[in-house]
Amino acid sequence: MKKFIPFFLIVILILCFTGCENQEAGSNAAQTSIVKSESEIKEIAYDYLSDAEKDTVLNYESAEVKGYKCSEDHVIGGLNGQVNINDKDTYMVTFNTTDDALLGPITVYIDKNSYGVLGIDYRD
């Protein structure tokens, strides 16, 4: 019986250290973010557009992608109403359209961290 006590202690210590290592690895994995390419960002923005908007886009592959962070109120149209993107790190994706002379281009804003679409600039 005395031989089993050290064995059980060693097993318990191994399980404790193994559990700690997995927990640390899990927390590091949660902090690692996936970086998307410019073409993937364009595709996310294009997929957000309605069919009517897509029909006016001249060439979505030639859209301009820029990092954008506004230091004042900037209200855009989101799926659930207006969204203020003040002080948010975003990608601004601008599509040239057949209606640029009348309404201007379509500009889509994507969150830099989650790659979720925040909304579209209002067109004149």
Side-chain angles (χ1 to χ4, degrees):
M1 184 75 173
K2 290 182 182 181
K3 293 179 183 179
F4 291 113
I5 292 175
F7 175 74
F8 285 122
L9 287 176
I10 291 172
V11 169
I12 290 172
L13 288 174
I14 290 172
L15 290 175
C16 287
F17 286 118
T18 304
C20 292
E21 288 177 25
N22 288 340
Q23 184 178 18
E24 289 174 12
S27 66
N28 287 339
Q31 293 174 356
T32 304
S33 62
I34 297 171
V35 177
K36 299 214 182 269
S37 69
E38 188 172 297
S39 62
E40 290 173 310
I41 294 168
K42 289 177 189 180
E43 190 170 334
I44 291 168
Y46 184 75
D47 288 344
Y48 182 78
L49 301 178
S50 69
D51 289 339
E53 290 167 326
K54 287 179 184 177
D55 288 342
T56 67
V57 171
L58 295 175
N59 182 2
Y60 93 89
E61 289 96 0
S62 67
E64 181 181 10
V65 178
K66 292 192 301 190
Y68 180 76
K69 185 172 186 175
C70 189
S71 59
E72 56 189 42
D73 286 344
H74 184 157
V75 178
I76 60 173
L79 282 178
N80 298 321
Q82 294 183 338
V83 177
N84 188 350
I85 59 171
N86 178 20
D87 207 33
K88 291 188 182 181
D89 287 320
T90 67
Y91 291 109
M92 180 172 65
V93 183
T94 305
F95 297 101
N96 290 318
T97 71
T98 56
D99 297 330
D100 280 3
L102 181 63
L103 300 172
I106 297 174
T107 304
V108 180
Y109 295 89
I110 298 174
D111 185 280
K112 272 191 175 182
N113 298 316
S114 68
Y115 295 101
V117 176
L118 298 170
I120 298 177
D121 249 340
Y122 292 107
R123 297 167 80 192
D124 295 329

